[in-house]
Amino acid sequence: MTVKKFILLALAILLAFFAGAQDLPQTDCLVKAASRWGAPCEKCEIYKDGYKRDFSGTYSVDLKNTCSDLVEVKVAVQEKGGTWRIFPVKTLTGNEVLTVFACQGTGKYIYWARRVNDTEIILPSDHEILTEYRSR
């Protein structure tokens, strides 16, 4: 094998590698950046001793888009009792973080992601999530 053929082969392999990287599933772009128990949450209204807000069961998680593509994300966080707090579809830019929560959380969450305007991947409806993942 000549040096010229070897260089062309190496370039072809590198090009194929980088081209394949563009086909990664969009769920690979979403990573858990942080999670917290007991953080104050404006939308959680659970009271202790009749008048004092209690955030001890609050679970929140930050999901970050690590890709440069715009990604549509749907997330559900499990509440005690097995129900899911479902969040509307949100579009995240590169490095943007989405924070979701459960007022009485179990620490479980699920998410779906797709490129913006990708019609091949269908995000589940709220009803599908509630019935499919009940008490999981």
Side-chain angles (χ1 to χ4, degrees):
M1 182 180 274
T2 66
V3 174
K4 188 176 181 181
K5 285 184 181 179
F6 178 75
I7 291 173
L8 286 173
L9 179 62
L11 286 174
I13 291 171
L14 282 173
L15 183 63
F17 173 75
F18 286 114
Q22 299 301 315
D23 293 334
L24 289 174
Q26 294 308 300
T27 52
D28 289 352
C29 291
L30 214 58
V31 297
K32 178 179 165 182
S35 63
R36 293 166 297 290
W37 283 100
C41 179
E42 186 111 354
K43 298 189 181 191
C44 294
E45 295 186 15
I46 297 171
Y47 294 90
K48 180 178 173 180
D49 301 330
Y51 62 92
K52 188 175 179 183
R53 285 177 85 171
D54 179 21
F55 299 110
S56 62
T58 302
Y59 175 72
S60 59
V61 62
D62 298 337
L63 299 171
K64 181 178 182 179
N65 177 8
T66 59
C67 295
S68 58
D69 294 338
L70 287 174
V71 176
E72 290 180 321
V73 180
K74 184 154 188 166
V75 184
V77 184
Q78 192 176 50
E79 297 274 3
K80 286 184 180 171
T83 61
W84 293 91
R85 180 179 293 268
I86 303 168
F87 294 85
V89 174
K90 170 92 168 141
T91 301
L92 298 179
T93 60
N95 292 320
E96 187 175 0
V97 176
L98 170 65
T99 301
V100 293
F101 65 92
C103 294
Q104 289 292 307
T106 63
K108 293 181 181 180
Y109 63 96
I110 49 178
Y111 62 87
W112 298 262
R114 67 179 179 194
R115 278 195 185 111
V116 170
N117 299 325
D118 184 344
T119 57
E120 292 181 15
I121 297 174
I122 299 172
L123 300 175
S125 69
D126 293 358
H127 179 71
E128 289 170 331
I129 294 170
L130 290 172
T131 55
E132 177 89 17
Y133 296 93
R134 183 179 308 178
S135 299
R136 279 192 188 181

